[in-house]
Amino acid sequence: MEVIICGSYDELSKLAAQAVAEVVRNKPNAVIGLATGSSPLGLYKELARMNKEDGLDFSQVTSFNLDEYVGIGPEHEQSYRRFMNENLFEGINIDIAKTNVPDGLADDYEGFCKAYEDKIAAAGGIDVQVLGIGSDGHIGFNEPGDSLASRTHTVTLTEGTIDDNTRFFQKKEDVPIYACTMGVGTVLDARKCVLVATGKGKAKPVAAMIEGPITSMCTASALQMHNDTQVFLDEEAAGALKFADYYRWIQENKPNAPK
Ligand code: F6R
């Protein structure tokens, strides 16, 4: 894992956006994996700016989102489809028909999850996956105990995740308890991962992900097995890292590193 500790949320968002943009520039028909939540909002804003001002072209890009709440349709205020439309897709020149978000209202989730996996494979696999991290160390909605080999599946959210996400709903009881998510195995198949985390609430899960053991108790720790993952952090999210000085040292000396 490459750990990049930034001075501010703005800086980490810009650097993470550059990493995603580089993939799209090198492969105009790239397949990008996307996350919702607060963490990637700055990254998405920067991608939209690059689309408008720097000519970053999304017209041939296909996207797959990590997850969606079960029981929530695309029109629902808190649906991840709506979140993506409002926070990214409407701000860039992506073809909306090429954007995929798991179906919150599928009749048959077993069939749906398999079809989602098949669609990712048919698109050629994910070139770059954007990720956030939950306070319990989840990526996607792969909660503690979820298999590190899992594929797209439904999951019961932990009470902690429901508490964290209550801020988006009127009350806790309105937060769905089930979700459909790409599995950890699906994420690990992405050619590159870009994870963003901000604020002191993320310090513990970030340290567990980077420096803890690989364990399904922190599904993000599986990224230690991925050979091209960049983690963009602000100082607060990096606050519990024991080797923070070493990660800074690596970045400072990167320009001269042997290739
Ligand atoms: C969302 C997702 C989740 C979030 C995580 C952090 O699609 O996959 O894993 O990335 O819950 O959420 P925020 O960024 O709101 O703290």
Side-chain angles (χ1 to χ4, degrees), residues 35-40 66-67 80 132-134 138-141 167-168 202:
T36 57
S38 310
S39 308
L66 283 166
D67 41 21
Y80 285 174
I133 182 169
H138 68 220
I139 44 171
F141 270 141
R167 69 188 196 277
F168 299 114
K202 296 296 169 70

Side-chain angles (χ1 to χ4, degrees), residues 125-218:
I126 293 171
D127 292 299
V128 58
Q129 175 68 55
V130 175
L131 295 164
I133 182 169
S135 49
D136 62 6
H138 68 220
I139 44 171
F141 270 141
N142 294 281
E143 297 284 40
D146 232 335
S147 161
L148 300 186
S150 59
R151 311 303 306 186
T152 301
H153 62 292
T154 55
V155 63
T156 309
L157 300 176
T158 62
E159 224 183 328
T161 296
I162 290 171
D163 286 341
D164 285 348
N165 290 354
T166 297
R167 69 188 196 277
F168 299 114
F169 291 80
Q170 304 232 321
K171 53 185 187 314
K172 184 173 172 176
E173 292 68 37
D174 295 342
V175 185
I177 66 166
Y178 302 111
C180 175
T181 181
M182 278 185 205
V184 179
T186 322
V187 171
L188 292 180
D189 281 352
R191 289 177 194 101
K192 180 181 180 68
C193 293
V194 169
L195 187 144
V196 284
T198 173
K200 60 177 188 301
K202 296 296 169 70
K204 262 173 89 171
V206 161
M209 163 179 73
I210 297 169
E211 297 177 344
I214 298 174
T215 168
S216 65
M217 288 297 116
C218 170

Side-chain angles (χ1 to χ4, degrees), residues 30-257:
V31 178
I32 60 177
L34 298 169
T36 57
S38 310
S39 308
L41 284 174
L43 187 168
Y44 294 157
K45 213 169 139 198
E46 179 63 9
L47 288 180
R49 190 204 61 74
M50 288 170 152
N51 179 236
K52 296 272 161 321
E53 294 173 17
D54 304 342
L56 181 66
D57 180 22
F58 289 88
S59 61
Q60 297 177 60
V61 165
T62 300
S63 74
F64 288 91
N65 260 78
L66 283 166
D67 41 21
E68 178 59 284
Y69 292 114
V70 167
I72 277 191
E75 302 307 327
H76 190 287
E77 267 204 328
Q78 294 308 331
S79 78
Y80 285 174
R81 159 54 72 185
R82 189 148 162 192
F83 177 98
M84 290 312 302
N85 287 352
E86 288 174 0
N87 290 295
L88 183 64
F89 301 151
E90 285 164 11
I92 59 176
N93 69 330
I94 198 165
D95 174 358
I96 202 78
K98 291 201 178 101
T99 66
N100 299 277
V101 180
D103 186 352
L105 299 176
D107 290 332
D108 157 25
Y109 267 104
E110 228 174 79
F112 174 79
C113 292
K114 184 167 182 325
Y116 203 67
E117 287 282 334
D118 290 348
K119 202 166 179 188
I120 293 171
I126 293 171
D127 292 299
V128 58
Q129 175 68 55
V130 175
L131 295 164
I133 182 169
S135 49
D136 62 6
H138 68 220
I139 44 171
F141 270 141
N142 294 281
E143 297 284 40
D146 232 335
S147 161
L148 300 186
S150 59
R151 311 303 306 186
T152 301
H153 62 292
T154 55
V155 63
T156 309
L157 300 176
T158 62
E159 224 183 328
T161 296
I162 290 171
D163 286 341
D164 285 348
N165 290 354
T166 297
R167 69 188 196 277
F168 299 114
F169 291 80
Q170 304 232 321
K171 53 185 187 314
K172 184 173 172 176
E173 292 68 37
D174 295 342
V175 185
I177 66 166
Y178 302 111
C180 175
T181 181
M182 278 185 205
V184 179
T186 322
V187 171
L188 292 180
D189 281 352
R191 289 177 194 101
K192 180 181 180 68
C193 293
V194 169
L195 187 144
V196 284
T198 173
K200 60 177 188 301
K202 296 296 169 70
K204 262 173 89 171
V206 161
M209 163 179 73
I210 297 169
E211 297 177 344
I214 298 174
T215 168
S216 65
M217 288 297 116
C218 170
T219 56
S221 66
L223 292 168
Q224 291 176 34
M225 299 289 292
H226 190 272
N227 72 357
D228 188 3
T229 290
Q230 289 185 304
V231 179
F232 295 89
L233 306 171
D234 61 12
E235 293 287 348
E236 289 187 319
L241 289 170
K242 289 201 183 75
F243 285 81
D245 285 345
Y246 177 51
Y247 309 136
R248 288 195 188 92
W249 169 255
I250 292 173
Q251 293 304 314
E252 280 160 25
N253 289 289
K254 200 173 163 182
N256 300 320

